[in-house]
Amino acid sequence: MSLELTKKIVKALDDKLARDIEVIKTEEVTIVADYFVIATANSNTHVRALADEIEYQLEQEDIRPDHVEGRATGWVLMQYGGVVVHIFLEDSRQYYNLERLWDDAAKLDISQFID
């Protein structure tokens, strides 16, 4: 279930032109989530548009987030069960560098998720 949900989230991000989308498979290294999806937006407006698109696309399948925070900032965090989505502005993404923090987790090739 988490992998299919991750694919839908990546597709929604890609459709709205998110940059540098990465998927980290965290299920082997933490109980927090099975997957982290990380993406970069061009502006605060773009951050909100990406989050809105994910919510819209998933609501079409009656899937709602368990938790959303940060809509007024340069970083939105969304949790859908075992999938955590981080949408950052470039500066925030570089500062928090989640990819480095989760370096021991596998990174997936997202080209398989996008048509």
Side-chain angles (χ1 to χ4, degrees):
M1 165 81 177
S2 289
L3 183 59
E4 287 304 313
L5 186 56
T6 299
K7 289 178 182 180
K8 292 174 186 182
I9 291 167
V10 168
K11 176 90 170 80
L13 289 167
D14 185 61
D15 287 348
K16 282 291 183 179
L17 306 177
R19 293 184 294 117
D20 303 321
I21 303 167
E22 289 202 38
V23 175
I24 302 172
K25 185 177 179 182
T26 55
E27 66 186 351
E28 304 284 326
V29 295
T30 184
I31 60 170
V32 172
D34 298 333
Y35 297 92
F36 276 10
V37 178
I38 305 169
T40 302
N42 299 320
S43 65
N44 280 318
T45 302
H46 194 208
V47 169
R48 287 188 299 276
L50 292 170
D52 289 348
E53 183 67 14
I54 291 169
E55 282 188 311
Y56 175 77
Q57 292 297 327
L58 296 180
E59 282 177 359
Q60 302 308 303
E61 299 181 40
D62 205 30
I63 301 169
R64 295 191 175 22
D66 299 322
H67 184 76
V68 177
E69 63 183 68
R71 285 206 186 266
T73 67
W75 176 7
V76 171
L77 180 142
M78 309 171 82
Q79 182 161 9
Y80 286 90
V83 182
V84 176
V85 182
H86 300 272
I87 305 169
F88 287 104
L89 288 176
E90 183 70 38
D91 291 346
S92 296
R93 183 167 179 176
Q94 288 178 6
Y95 179 80
Y96 290 103
N97 199 357
L98 296 182
E99 294 89 340
R100 182 185 51 78
L101 290 174
W102 295 101
D103 194 35
D104 52 343
K107 303 214 176 15
L108 302 185
D109 178 7
I110 67 158
S111 65
Q112 63 183 335
F113 300 164
I114 302 168
D115 311 291

mmCIF file of all heavy atoms in Angstrom, residues 67-111:
data_model
loop_
_atom_site.group_PDB
_atom_site.id
_atom_site.type_symbol
_atom_site.label_atom_id
_atom_site.label_comp_id
_atom_site.label_asym_id
_atom_site.label_seq_id
_atom_site.Cartn_x
_atom_site.Cartn_y
_atom_site.Cartn_z
ATOM 1 N N HIS A 67 -1.855 13.883 8.835
ATOM 2 C CA HIS A 67 -1.306 15.085 9.455
ATOM 3 C C HIS A 67 -0.697 15.985 8.373
ATOM 4 O O HIS A 67 -0.055 15.481 7.456
ATOM 5 C CB HIS A 67 -0.229 14.677 10.466
ATOM 6 C CG HIS A 67 0.349 15.808 11.224
ATOM 7 N ND1 HIS A 67 -0.312 16.430 12.253
ATOM 8 C CD2 HIS A 67 1.533 16.456 11.101
ATOM 9 C CE1 HIS A 67 0.444 17.395 12.734
ATOM 10 N NE2 HIS A 67 1.567 17.435 12.054
ATOM 11 N N VAL A 68 -0.909 17.286 8.506
ATOM 12 C CA VAL A 68 -0.286 18.274 7.621
ATOM 13 C C VAL A 68 0.160 19.436 8.493
ATOM 14 O O VAL A 68 -0.589 19.887 9.358
ATOM 15 C CB VAL A 68 -1.263 18.798 6.539
ATOM 16 C CG1 VAL A 68 -0.610 19.874 5.687
ATOM 17 C CG2 VAL A 68 -1.774 17.667 5.674
ATOM 18 N N GLU A 69 1.393 19.915 8.265
ATOM 19 C CA GLU A 69 1.838 21.107 8.981
ATOM 20 C C GLU A 69 2.767 21.944 8.114
ATOM 21 O O GLU A 69 3.364 21.440 7.176
ATOM 22 C CB GLU A 69 2.514 20.756 10.302
ATOM 23 C CG GLU A 69 3.774 19.958 10.192
ATOM 24 C CD GLU A 69 4.322 19.593 11.566
ATOM 25 O OE1 GLU A 69 3.692 18.795 12.269
ATOM 26 O OE2 GLU A 69 5.391 20.131 11.903
ATOM 27 N N GLY A 70 2.812 23.242 8.441
ATOM 28 C CA GLY A 70 3.750 24.142 7.788
ATOM 29 C C GLY A 70 3.230 24.850 6.561
ATOM 30 O O GLY A 70 4.015 25.392 5.797
ATOM 31 N N ARG A 71 1.944 24.901 6.333
ATOM 32 C CA ARG A 71 1.431 25.520 5.106
ATOM 33 C C ARG A 71 1.831 26.988 4.942
ATOM 34 O O ARG A 71 1.893 27.483 3.835
ATOM 35 C CB ARG A 71 -0.091 25.412 5.058
ATOM 36 C CG ARG A 71 -0.552 24.033 4.715
ATOM 37 C CD ARG A 71 -1.917 24.114 4.063
ATOM 38 N NE ARG A 71 -2.450 22.788 3.834
ATOM 39 C CZ ARG A 71 -2.304 22.132 2.699
ATOM 40 N NH1 ARG A 71 -1.646 22.653 1.703
ATOM 41 N NH2 ARG A 71 -2.830 20.939 2.563
ATOM 42 N N ALA A 72 2.114 27.671 6.028
ATOM 43 C CA ALA A 72 2.471 29.093 5.938
ATOM 44 C C ALA A 72 3.977 29.303 5.874
ATOM 45 O O ALA A 72 4.448 30.430 5.919
ATOM 46 C CB ALA A 72 1.892 29.841 7.136
ATOM 47 N N THR A 73 4.740 28.241 5.753
ATOM 48 C CA THR A 73 6.198 28.356 5.762
ATOM 49 C C THR A 73 6.789 27.803 4.472
ATOM 50 O O THR A 73 6.066 27.353 3.597
ATOM 51 C CB THR A 73 6.790 27.564 6.946
ATOM 52 O OG1 THR A 73 6.560 26.170 6.725
ATOM 53 C CG2 THR A 73 6.158 27.974 8.267
ATOM 54 N N GLY A 74 8.096 27.767 4.394
ATOM 55 C CA GLY A 74 8.795 27.232 3.232
ATOM 56 C C GLY A 74 9.000 25.733 3.299
ATOM 57 O O GLY A 74 9.839 25.193 2.584
ATOM 58 N N TRP A 75 8.246 25.063 4.169
ATOM 59 C CA TRP A 75 8.366 23.609 4.301
ATOM 60 C C TRP A 75 7.011 23.066 4.727
ATOM 61 O O TRP A 75 6.491 23.404 5.777
ATOM 62 C CB TRP A 75 9.406 23.277 5.343
ATOM 63 C CG TRP A 75 9.606 21.831 5.684
ATOM 64 C CD1 TRP A 75 9.053 20.734 5.083
ATOM 65 C CD2 TRP A 75 10.432 21.314 6.726
ATOM 66 N NE1 TRP A 75 9.492 19.587 5.678
ATOM 67 C CE2 TRP A 75 10.342 19.911 6.696
ATOM 68 C CE3 TRP A 75 11.235 21.900 7.686
ATOM 69 C CZ2 TRP A 75 11.024 19.087 7.584
ATOM 70 C CZ3 TRP A 75 11.918 21.077 8.567
ATOM 71 C CH2 TRP A 75 11.816 19.695 8.513
ATOM 72 N N VAL A 76 6.423 22.219 3.906
ATOM 73 C CA VAL A 76 5.181 21.544 4.263
ATOM 74 C C VAL A 76 5.496 20.072 4.496
ATOM 75 O O VAL A 76 6.208 19.444 3.709
ATOM 76 C CB VAL A 76 4.106 21.682 3.157
ATOM 77 C CG1 VAL A 76 2.908 20.790 3.434
ATOM 78 C CG2 VAL A 76 3.651 23.116 3.021
ATOM 79 N N LEU A 77 4.997 19.555 5.605
ATOM 80 C CA LEU A 77 5.115 18.139 5.920
ATOM 81 C C LEU A 77 3.720 17.539 5.881
ATOM 82 O O LEU A 77 2.791 18.090 6.481
ATOM 83 C CB LEU A 77 5.732 17.955 7.306
ATOM 84 C CG LEU A 77 5.902 16.508 7.742
ATOM 85 C CD1 LEU A 77 7.203 16.352 8.496
ATOM 86 C CD2 LEU A 77 4.740 16.028 8.579
ATOM 87 N N MET A 78 3.589 16.430 5.169
ATOM 88 C CA MET A 78 2.305 15.734 5.069
ATOM 89 C C MET A 78 2.548 14.270 5.388
ATOM 90 O O MET A 78 3.517 13.689 4.905
ATOM 91 C CB MET A 78 1.741 15.852 3.650
ATOM 92 C CG MET A 78 1.696 17.256 3.114
ATOM 93 S SD MET A 78 1.268 17.314 1.353
ATOM 94 C CE MET A 78 -0.506 17.197 1.479
ATOM 95 N N GLN A 79 1.657 13.684 6.189
ATOM 96 C CA GLN A 79 1.793 12.262 6.473
ATOM 97 C C GLN A 79 0.539 11.532 6.036
ATOM 98 O O GLN A 79 -0.571 11.899 6.389
ATOM 99 C CB GLN A 79 2.044 11.999 7.954
ATOM 100 C CG GLN A 79 2.225 10.510 8.212
ATOM 101 C CD GLN A 79 2.910 10.209 9.520
ATOM 102 O OE1 GLN A 79 3.122 11.083 10.340
ATOM 103 N NE2 GLN A 79 3.258 8.964 9.698
ATOM 104 N N TYR A 80 0.776 10.510 5.232
ATOM 105 C CA TYR A 80 -0.272 9.616 4.759
ATOM 106 C C TYR A 80 0.120 8.210 5.193
ATOM 107 O O TYR A 80 0.843 7.515 4.471
ATOM 108 C CB TYR A 80 -0.380 9.653 3.233
ATOM 109 C CG TYR A 80 -1.030 10.902 2.681
ATOM 110 C CD1 TYR A 80 -0.266 12.008 2.362
ATOM 111 C CD2 TYR A 80 -2.396 10.954 2.473
ATOM 112 C CE1 TYR A 80 -0.852 13.153 1.838
ATOM 113 C CE2 TYR A 80 -2.990 12.096 1.946
ATOM 114 C CZ TYR A 80 -2.213 13.184 1.637
ATOM 115 O OH TYR A 80 -2.805 14.311 1.114
ATOM 116 N N GLY A 81 -0.285 7.802 6.377
ATOM 117 C CA GLY A 81 0.099 6.476 6.861
ATOM 118 C C GLY A 81 1.608 6.334 6.898
ATOM 119 O O GLY A 81 2.299 7.102 7.553
ATOM 120 N N GLY A 82 2.121 5.371 6.138
ATOM 121 C CA GLY A 82 3.548 5.096 6.118
ATOM 122 C C GLY A 82 4.354 5.960 5.171
ATOM 123 O O GLY A 82 5.539 5.718 4.970
ATOM 124 N N VAL A 83 3.726 6.982 4.592
ATOM 125 C CA VAL A 83 4.426 7.863 3.652
ATOM 126 C C VAL A 83 4.443 9.283 4.214
ATOM 127 O O VAL A 83 3.394 9.848 4.521
ATOM 128 C CB VAL A 83 3.761 7.863 2.262
ATOM 129 C CG1 VAL A 83 4.547 8.745 1.293
ATOM 130 C CG2 VAL A 83 3.637 6.447 1.718
ATOM 131 N N VAL A 84 5.643 9.840 4.348
ATOM 132 C CA VAL A 84 5.801 11.221 4.801
ATOM 133 C C VAL A 84 6.344 12.038 3.631
ATOM 134 O O VAL A 84 7.332 11.656 3.004
ATOM 135 C CB VAL A 84 6.758 11.312 6.011
ATOM 136 C CG1 VAL A 84 6.995 12.764 6.398
ATOM 137 C CG2 VAL A 84 6.196 10.527 7.190
ATOM 138 N N VAL A 85 5.675 13.144 3.351
ATOM 139 C CA VAL A 85 6.047 14.018 2.242
ATOM 140 C C VAL A 85 6.611 15.318 2.809
ATOM 141 O O VAL A 85 6.009 15.919 3.701
ATOM 142 C CB VAL A 85 4.821 14.343 1.358
ATOM 143 C CG1 VAL A 85 5.221 15.213 0.171
ATOM 144 C CG2 VAL A 85 4.117 13.075 0.911
ATOM 145 N N HIS A 86 7.763 15.719 2.289
ATOM 146 C CA HIS A 86 8.395 16.988 2.653
ATOM 147 C C HIS A 86 8.502 17.822 1.384
ATOM 148 O O HIS A 86 9.147 17.403 0.420
ATOM 149 C CB HIS A 86 9.809 16.765 3.190
ATOM 150 C CG HIS A 86 9.871 15.916 4.411
ATOM 151 N ND1 HIS A 86 9.760 16.434 5.680
ATOM 152 C CD2 HIS A 86 10.043 14.580 4.556
ATOM 153 C CE1 HIS A 86 9.870 15.454 6.560
ATOM 154 N NE2 HIS A 86 10.037 14.321 5.902
ATOM 155 N N ILE A 87 7.876 18.996 1.395
ATOM 156 C CA ILE A 87 7.982 19.923 0.269
ATOM 157 C C ILE A 87 8.691 21.170 0.786
ATOM 158 O O ILE A 87 8.198 21.835 1.700
ATOM 159 C CB ILE A 87 6.594 20.293 -0.299
ATOM 160 C CG1 ILE A 87 5.815 19.028 -0.676
ATOM 161 C CG2 ILE A 87 6.742 21.226 -1.497
ATOM 162 C CD1 ILE A 87 4.349 19.276 -0.986
ATOM 163 N N PHE A 88 9.856 21.455 0.216
ATOM 164 C CA PHE A 88 10.723 22.520 0.694
ATOM 165 C C PHE A 88 10.936 23.605 -0.345
ATOM 166 O O PHE A 88 10.918 23.342 -1.545
ATOM 167 C CB PHE A 88 12.139 21.966 0.943
ATOM 168 C CG PHE A 88 12.314 21.092 2.130
ATOM 169 C CD1 PHE A 88 12.428 19.718 1.978
ATOM 170 C CD2 PHE A 88 12.431 21.639 3.392
ATOM 171 C CE1 PHE A 88 12.649 18.905 3.078
ATOM 172 C CE2 PHE A 88 12.653 20.830 4.499
ATOM 173 C CZ PHE A 88 12.760 19.456 4.340
ATOM 174 N N LEU A 89 11.240 24.801 0.145
ATOM 175 C CA LEU A 89 11.938 25.784 -0.677
ATOM 176 C C LEU A 89 13.397 25.355 -0.703
ATOM 177 O O LEU A 89 13.868 24.650 0.198
ATOM 178 C CB LEU A 89 11.810 27.181 -0.078
ATOM 179 C CG LEU A 89 10.447 27.838 -0.170
ATOM 180 C CD1 LEU A 89 10.461 29.180 0.556
ATOM 181 C CD2 LEU A 89 10.036 28.030 -1.626
ATOM 182 N N GLU A 90 14.140 25.775 -1.704
ATOM 183 C CA GLU A 90 15.528 25.348 -1.898
ATOM 184 C C GLU A 90 16.394 25.577 -0.657
ATOM 185 O O GLU A 90 17.113 24.681 -0.218
ATOM 186 C CB GLU A 90 16.145 26.062 -3.103
ATOM 187 C CG GLU A 90 17.563 25.627 -3.411
ATOM 188 C CD GLU A 90 17.655 24.217 -3.949
ATOM 189 O OE1 GLU A 90 16.775 23.815 -4.721
ATOM 190 O OE2 GLU A 90 18.621 23.510 -3.593
ATOM 191 N N ASP A 91 16.338 26.764 -0.086
ATOM 192 C CA ASP A 91 17.174 27.074 1.079
ATOM 193 C C ASP A 91 16.864 26.164 2.261
ATOM 194 O O ASP A 91 17.770 25.691 2.953
ATOM 195 C CB ASP A 91 17.010 28.537 1.505
ATOM 196 C CG ASP A 91 17.601 29.513 0.511
ATOM 197 O OD1 ASP A 91 18.364 29.075 -0.381
ATOM 198 O OD2 ASP A 91 17.301 30.715 0.620
ATOM 199 N N SER A 92 15.587 25.936 2.517
ATOM 200 C CA SER A 92 15.190 25.068 3.625
ATOM 201 C C SER A 92 15.629 23.630 3.379
ATOM 202 O O SER A 92 16.099 22.949 4.296
ATOM 203 C CB SER A 92 13.671 25.104 3.826
ATOM 204 O OG SER A 92 13.260 26.391 4.198
ATOM 205 N N ARG A 93 15.511 23.193 2.147
ATOM 206 C CA ARG A 93 15.923 21.814 1.839
ATOM 207 C C ARG A 93 17.422 21.638 2.061
ATOM 208 O O ARG A 93 17.869 20.639 2.626
ATOM 209 C CB ARG A 93 15.549 21.444 0.407
ATOM 210 C CG ARG A 93 15.886 19.999 0.087
ATOM 211 C CD ARG A 93 15.259 19.531 -1.175
ATOM 212 N NE ARG A 93 15.601 18.165 -1.479
ATOM 213 C CZ ARG A 93 15.114 17.494 -2.492
ATOM 214 N NH1 ARG A 93 14.246 18.066 -3.306
ATOM 215 N NH2 ARG A 93 15.473 16.254 -2.716
ATOM 216 N N GLN A 94 18.197 22.596 1.631
ATOM 217 C CA GLN A 94 19.643 22.511 1.844
ATOM 218 C C GLN A 94 19.985 22.572 3.328
ATOM 219 O O GLN A 94 20.862 21.849 3.798
ATOM 220 C CB GLN A 94 20.355 23.624 1.082
ATOM 221 C CG GLN A 94 20.367 23.406 -0.404
ATOM 222 C CD GLN A 94 21.042 24.551 -1.142
ATOM 223 O OE1 GLN A 94 21.604 25.460 -0.541
ATOM 224 N NE2 GLN A 94 20.984 24.504 -2.458
ATOM 225 N N TYR A 95 19.289 23.413 4.075
ATOM 226 C CA TYR A 95 19.572 23.577 5.497
ATOM 227 C C TYR A 95 19.284 22.283 6.275
ATOM 228 O O TYR A 95 20.111 21.825 7.055
ATOM 229 C CB TYR A 95 18.753 24.739 6.071
ATOM 230 C CG TYR A 95 18.979 24.941 7.543
ATOM 231 C CD1 TYR A 95 20.099 25.609 8.005
ATOM 232 C CD2 TYR A 95 18.060 24.468 8.475
ATOM 233 C CE1 TYR A 95 20.323 25.791 9.358
ATOM 234 C CE2 TYR A 95 18.272 24.644 9.831
ATOM 235 C CZ TYR A 95 19.400 25.300 10.267
ATOM 236 O OH TYR A 95 19.613 25.473 11.613
ATOM 237 N N TYR A 96 18.108 21.705 6.061
ATOM 238 C CA TYR A 96 17.729 20.508 6.814
ATOM 239 C C TYR A 96 18.363 19.240 6.260
ATOM 240 O O TYR A 96 18.545 18.279 6.986
ATOM 241 C CB TYR A 96 16.209 20.379 6.887
ATOM 242 C CG TYR A 96 15.610 21.446 7.770
ATOM 243 C CD1 TYR A 96 14.984 22.545 7.219
ATOM 244 C CD2 TYR A 96 15.720 21.372 9.145
ATOM 245 C CE1 TYR A 96 14.448 23.541 8.019
ATOM 246 C CE2 TYR A 96 15.195 22.356 9.963
ATOM 247 C CZ TYR A 96 14.561 23.432 9.390
ATOM 248 O OH TYR A 96 14.050 24.417 10.194
ATOM 249 N N ASN A 97 18.651 19.211 4.985
ATOM 250 C CA ASN A 97 19.375 18.119 4.329
ATOM 251 C C ASN A 97 18.930 16.722 4.798
ATOM 252 O O ASN A 97 19.733 15.931 5.314
ATOM 253 C CB ASN A 97 20.880 18.306 4.528
ATOM 254 C CG ASN A 97 21.689 17.523 3.524
ATOM 255 O OD1 ASN A 97 21.145 16.796 2.699
ATOM 256 N ND2 ASN A 97 22.991 17.664 3.594
ATOM 257 N N LEU A 98 17.658 16.445 4.630
ATOM 258 C CA LEU A 98 17.105 15.157 5.070
ATOM 259 C C LEU A 98 17.776 13.972 4.380
ATOM 260 O O LEU A 98 17.894 12.901 4.968
ATOM 261 C CB LEU A 98 15.598 15.114 4.827
ATOM 262 C CG LEU A 98 14.766 16.106 5.622
ATOM 263 C CD1 LEU A 98 13.292 15.913 5.309
ATOM 264 C CD2 LEU A 98 15.028 15.994 7.112
ATOM 265 N N GLU A 99 18.205 14.186 3.150
ATOM 266 C CA GLU A 99 18.881 13.097 2.437
ATOM 267 C C GLU A 99 20.135 12.652 3.192
ATOM 268 O O GLU A 99 20.444 11.459 3.241
ATOM 269 C CB GLU A 99 19.255 13.519 1.019
ATOM 270 C CG GLU A 99 18.070 13.788 0.105
ATOM 271 C CD GLU A 99 17.557 15.224 0.133
ATOM 272 O OE1 GLU A 99 17.838 15.962 1.104
ATOM 273 O OE2 GLU A 99 16.859 15.608 -0.810
ATOM 274 N N ARG A 100 20.843 13.588 3.776
ATOM 275 C CA ARG A 100 22.039 13.247 4.557
ATOM 276 C C ARG A 100 21.643 12.557 5.862
ATOM 277 O O ARG A 100 22.251 11.587 6.274
ATOM 278 C CB ARG A 100 22.881 14.491 4.856
ATOM 279 C CG ARG A 100 24.163 14.173 5.634
ATOM 280 C CD ARG A 100 24.941 15.414 6.044
ATOM 281 N NE ARG A 100 24.162 16.436 6.725
ATOM 282 C CZ ARG A 100 23.804 16.388 8.023
ATOM 283 N NH1 ARG A 100 24.152 15.378 8.764
ATOM 284 N NH2 ARG A 100 23.101 17.362 8.554
ATOM 285 N N LEU A 101 20.594 13.056 6.501
ATOM 286 C CA LEU A 101 20.154 12.460 7.766
ATOM 287 C C LEU A 101 19.714 11.007 7.592
ATOM 288 O O LEU A 101 19.892 10.185 8.483
ATOM 289 C CB LEU A 101 19.004 13.271 8.368
ATOM 290 C CG LEU A 101 19.367 14.647 8.905
ATOM 291 C CD1 LEU A 101 18.115 15.392 9.326
ATOM 292 C CD2 LEU A 101 20.338 14.517 10.068
ATOM 293 N N TRP A 102 19.129 10.718 6.447
ATOM 294 C CA TRP A 102 18.634 9.363 6.165
ATOM 295 C C TRP A 102 19.535 8.662 5.148
ATOM 296 O O TRP A 102 19.082 7.841 4.357
ATOM 297 C CB TRP A 102 17.190 9.428 5.673
ATOM 298 C CG TRP A 102 16.280 9.944 6.736
ATOM 299 C CD1 TRP A 102 15.783 11.196 6.847
ATOM 300 C CD2 TRP A 102 15.797 9.223 7.869
ATOM 301 N NE1 TRP A 102 15.012 11.299 7.975
ATOM 302 C CE2 TRP A 102 15.001 10.104 8.615
ATOM 303 C CE3 TRP A 102 15.962 7.908 8.318
ATOM 304 C CZ2 TRP A 102 14.367 9.722 9.796
ATOM 305 C CZ3 TRP A 102 15.329 7.523 9.492
ATOM 306 C CH2 TRP A 102 14.552 8.421 10.219
ATOM 307 N N ASP A 103 20.812 8.946 5.186
ATOM 308 C CA ASP A 103 21.772 8.409 4.228
ATOM 309 C C ASP A 103 21.864 6.883 4.257
ATOM 310 O O ASP A 103 22.204 6.259 3.256
ATOM 311 C CB ASP A 103 23.147 9.032 4.475
ATOM 312 C CG ASP A 103 24.107 8.795 3.341
ATOM 313 O OD1 ASP A 103 23.657 8.787 2.179
ATOM 314 O OD2 ASP A 103 25.310 8.624 3.609
ATOM 315 N N ASP A 104 21.546 6.279 5.386
ATOM 316 C CA ASP A 104 21.624 4.821 5.492
ATOM 317 C C ASP A 104 20.390 4.126 4.918
ATOM 318 O O ASP A 104 20.347 2.899 4.849
ATOM 319 C CB ASP A 104 21.865 4.391 6.932
ATOM 320 C CG ASP A 104 20.881 5.005 7.913
ATOM 321 O OD1 ASP A 104 20.212 5.998 7.559
ATOM 322 O OD2 ASP A 104 20.778 4.497 9.048
ATOM 323 N N ALA A 105 19.400 4.891 4.474
ATOM 324 C CA ALA A 105 18.197 4.328 3.855
ATOM 325 C C ALA A 105 18.365 4.291 2.335
ATOM 326 O O ALA A 105 19.093 5.101 1.758
ATOM 327 C CB ALA A 105 16.978 5.165 4.220
ATOM 328 N N ALA A 106 17.678 3.350 1.701
ATOM 329 C CA ALA A 106 17.768 3.190 0.247
ATOM 330 C C ALA A 106 17.046 4.326 -0.471
ATOM 331 O O ALA A 106 15.969 4.753 -0.062
ATOM 332 C CB ALA A 106 17.155 1.863 -0.163
ATOM 333 N N LYS A 107 17.648 4.817 -1.543
ATOM 334 C CA LYS A 107 17.019 5.825 -2.387
ATOM 335 C C LYS A 107 16.465 5.120 -3.627
ATOM 336 O O LYS A 107 17.144 4.301 -4.230
ATOM 337 C CB LYS A 107 18.037 6.883 -2.777
ATOM 338 C CG LYS A 107 18.657 7.521 -1.540
ATOM 339 C CD LYS A 107 18.980 8.941 -1.713
ATOM 340 C CE LYS A 107 19.510 9.628 -0.490
ATOM 341 N NZ LYS A 107 19.974 8.915 0.637
ATOM 342 N N LEU A 108 15.225 5.420 -3.964
ATOM 343 C CA LEU A 108 14.574 4.765 -5.092
ATOM 344 C C LEU A 108 14.672 5.631 -6.336
ATOM 345 O O LEU A 108 14.677 6.859 -6.274
ATOM 346 C CB LEU A 108 13.106 4.500 -4.769
ATOM 347 C CG LEU A 108 12.813 3.645 -3.547
ATOM 348 C CD1 LEU A 108 11.318 3.389 -3.441
ATOM 349 C CD2 LEU A 108 13.565 2.336 -3.584
ATOM 350 N N ASP A 109 14.711 4.972 -7.479
ATOM 351 C CA ASP A 109 14.706 5.648 -8.776
ATOM 352 C C ASP A 109 13.260 6.027 -9.103
ATOM 353 O O ASP A 109 12.431 5.144 -9.338
ATOM 354 C CB ASP A 109 15.276 4.704 -9.828
ATOM 355 C CG ASP A 109 15.258 5.296 -11.228
ATOM 356 O OD1 ASP A 109 14.921 6.494 -11.379
ATOM 357 O OD2 ASP A 109 15.583 4.555 -12.165
ATOM 358 N N ILE A 110 12.971 7.324 -9.115
ATOM 359 C CA ILE A 110 11.580 7.742 -9.325
ATOM 360 C C ILE A 110 11.140 7.663 -10.780
ATOM 361 O O ILE A 110 9.958 7.816 -11.057
ATOM 362 C CB ILE A 110 11.329 9.149 -8.775
ATOM 363 C CG1 ILE A 110 12.090 10.203 -9.572
ATOM 364 C CG2 ILE A 110 11.596 9.235 -7.296
ATOM 365 C CD1 ILE A 110 11.513 11.582 -9.441
ATOM 366 N N SER A 111 12.049 7.406 -11.699
ATOM 367 C CA SER A 111 11.657 7.327 -13.110
ATOM 368 C C SER A 111 10.637 6.210 -13.316
ATOM 369 O O SER A 111 9.815 6.289 -14.223
ATOM 370 C CB SER A 111 12.860 7.133 -14.015
ATOM 371 O OG SER A 111 13.483 5.883 -13.773
#
